[in-house]
Amino acid sequence: MNILDDISEFLQQGKVPKVKELVQQALDEGIEPKAILEEGLLKGMGIIGGKFKNNEVFIPQVLIAARAMNAGVEIMKPVLISSGVKSKGVAVIGTVKGDLHDIGKNLVKLMIESKGITVIDLGIDVPPERFVEATIENNASIVCCSSLLTNNMMEMANVIKALEDNGIREKVKVMVGGAPVTQEFCDKIGADCYTVDASSAAEAALSFCA
Amino acid sequence: MKTDMNRWLKDLRENSVKKALPILSFPVIQLMNVTVKELISDSDMQANGMKLMSERIDSAAAVSLMDLSVEAEAFGSKICVSENEVPTVIGRIVESLEDAENLKIPAVGDARTGIYLDSMAKAVKLIHDRPIFAGIIGPYSLTGRLMDVSEAMIKCYEEPEIVHKTLAAVTEFLIEYARKYKEVGVNGIIIAEPTAGILSPDLIQEFSTDYVKKIIEAVQDESFIVIYHNCGNNTIQLIDSILDTNASAFHFGNAIDMAEMMKHIPVNKIAMGNVDPAGQFRNGTPESIREQTLKIMNSCSKYPNFVISSGCDIPPLAKWDNIDSFFKAIKEFYQQ
């Protein structure tokens, strides 16, 4: 097994110290940063994402794997920048105004990041204008809105309206999700994409970056 | 009212026509023309609301508010209260082992736990035609609210001692809280442990079931039973551990296939579920909820231990036309 496979394997187990150690070792050995990122870290996270989709692993295992991935990426950041490795796209994500829940949103964020997409996390209780500002500031091509509360779901429609009012609706894909959200609701408010789980959301986001 | 709850459970299993037991409490705000904020702060309003609800719906039991912020607030968490949504816990108060070791166990009656206990004491004097269940949170779900849910999951692997220290404290409190409900005369509790429903099978036993068992062992007897609620999406994979809690009955969410779940439930245990509270009761139509209710009843009623219910707590602004349609669909099923 080579060092990139080891990185992937330890990442899947959520072993932060081992992932950090091996990423540093790989860099020291002169392995291309792009290869460490894609064949080690993102590969491991992709495997976890697939297993999560198939109910072979559970949310806690995804969370510890994502923490290990982030630890590895942190070490690589300077070299990734200097070697010109770019992210596959930029997504803005947040739980809509009036809603303070974030487990689902955080999970989607981790899964999208595992596809090599930069995710700007706006947190919870995010007003429509903040989605717009962040989209413009970061030149994002994807806007992800999350909600757990039935009364606040319509805030997603307000996000879409705010994007329209600011003339950037056509430049972005709007993804919606959360326990009460359905495909019917997505269609009704004019969003571009609804997915039933975090893994599918990440796949959809990647398809929008192609 | 003292009731032989084992007999009640037996009757529920043996009756060919079974009444529904939805987690239906907050929508009473529409009947009383009050806000959630007012309801959660007033024991008279809660007791009168339960009485009003028991007159309005033909349910197997009366249930109190499923407000999963009450206990966390008693421990010192901040909560967000709004006019029309169930309160939410904000932030976290346990970040380190030191925080967990120094966690002060509140007295039962602190914060709004006193109001909720008082409301039950009043409700038992008003409702005599069906058992009354009080709602309390489960130990891991409360721990998640004190630590932050994602952190509580990660720490199960990385710093399990913090989780166990917090669980020990909250379990001590929940046992006393449940005992007080027993003292005021309710017939049981519905213990809501949804956060455990997203754990993995290797974690749920250690970080949830073993603590739920302690609570149940402390209070459950022939006059006071525990219904275990878990609306997480992994409950079928976790069912062996969930059954190990030894609760008298189980209540599951709409994220699972109820007919598949019934295959795993022993015949002597009641299992309830699982009409979608948000998609149907809140956002559906009378036609769509009728359809889903009949579908679940058609697939599950061959099991004598199945009782139709909502998949979780029904949102405050659920449409009453949909609630009425749910009950009509049950009648329609039995008239077929």
Side-chain angles (χ1 to χ4, degrees), chain B residues 68-263:
Chain B
L68 304 187
S69 69
V70 178
E71 298 88 346
E73 189 185 23
F75 269 90
S77 293
K78 285 184 183 166
I79 64 162
C80 173
V81 177
S82 66
E83 300 288 296
N84 295 316
E85 282 285 1
V86 178
T88 316
V89 176
I90 307 167
R92 57 176 161 150
I93 60 171
V94 177
E95 294 186 36
S96 63
L97 186 58
E98 195 185 358
D99 291 340
E101 283 170 343
N102 294 332
L103 193 60
K104 186 174 176 291
I105 299 171
V108 173
D110 282 0
R112 284 178 300 129
T113 58
I115 294 174
Y116 279 55
L117 275 166
D118 204 23
S119 75
M120 287 297 99
K122 290 168 181 170
V124 294
K125 291 179 183 150
L126 295 174
I127 300 166
H128 305 290
D129 64 343
R130 68 197 79 182
I132 298 175
F133 288 94
I136 76 167
I137 196 169
Y140 186 73
S141 300
L142 178 51
T143 296
R145 277 154 180 78
L146 302 184
M147 294 181 68
D148 175 84
V149 172
S150 298
E151 284 300 317
M153 284 191 274
I154 290 169
K155 286 193 165 42
C156 286
Y157 286 109
E158 295 184 351
E159 295 174 86
E161 199 183 348
I162 298 178
V163 189
H164 280 301
K165 288 269 181 206
T166 310
L167 278 163
V170 304
T171 301
E172 188 178 328
F173 171 76
L174 291 173
I175 287 172
E176 285 312 306
Y177 193 33
R179 280 187 176 139
K180 289 285 180 197
Y181 275 122
K182 194 172 179 179
E183 278 174 30
V184 302
V186 299
N187 305 100
I189 52 172
I190 299 177
I191 188 164
E193 185 69 322
T195 312
I198 49 179
L199 289 177
S200 51
D202 63 324
L203 295 181
I204 189 172
Q205 186 74 30
E206 179 182 348
F207 293 97
S208 172
T209 299
D210 288 348
Y211 292 92
V212 174
K213 272 170 93 166
K214 285 182 185 173
I215 298 167
I216 292 177
E217 279 166 10
V219 294
Q220 185 164 264
D221 59 25
E222 66 283 352
S223 67
F224 189 90
I225 62 168
V226 178
I227 300 175
Y228 174 98
H229 163 82
N230 193 330
C231 55
N233 51 359
N234 298 332
T235 47
I236 292 177
Q237 293 99 308
L238 303 173
I239 190 59
D240 289 344
S241 184
I242 288 172
L243 290 170
D244 190 45
T245 59
N246 204 25
S248 291
F250 299 89
H251 187 277
F252 299 107
N254 55 290
I256 60 149
D257 178 349
M258 197 67 205
E260 178 59 33
M261 176 59 89
M262 290 310 299
K263 294 178 190 168

Side-chain angles (χ1 to χ4, degrees), chain B residues 2-18:
Chain B
K2 203 103 171 165
T3 303
D4 181 344
M5 293 307 290
N6 287 336
R7 178 64 191 261
W8 179 78
L9 288 166
K10 186 170 179 280
D11 289 347
L12 204 53
R13 285 195 305 272
E14 292 179 356
N15 288 346
S16 54
V17 175
K18 299 179 205 302

Side-chain angles (χ1 to χ4, degrees), chain A residues 58 60-61 67 103 149-151, chain B residues 84-85 149 151 201 234 282:
Chain A
F58 297 82
Q61 288 141 304
R67 185 168 280 203
I103 301 170
L149 300 178
T150 51
N151 293 341
Chain B
N84 295 316
E85 282 285 1
V149 172
E151 284 300 317
N234 298 332
R282 173 69 174 86

Side-chain angles (χ1 to χ4, degrees), chain A residues 13-33:
Chain A
Q13 295 168 24
K15 308 281 189 199
V16 172
K18 267 319 258 189
V19 169
K20 285 167 78 171
E21 178 194 323
L22 289 172
V23 166
Q24 190 58 57
Q25 188 186 326
L27 287 170
D28 294 344
E29 287 174 7
I31 297 173
E32 283 292 315

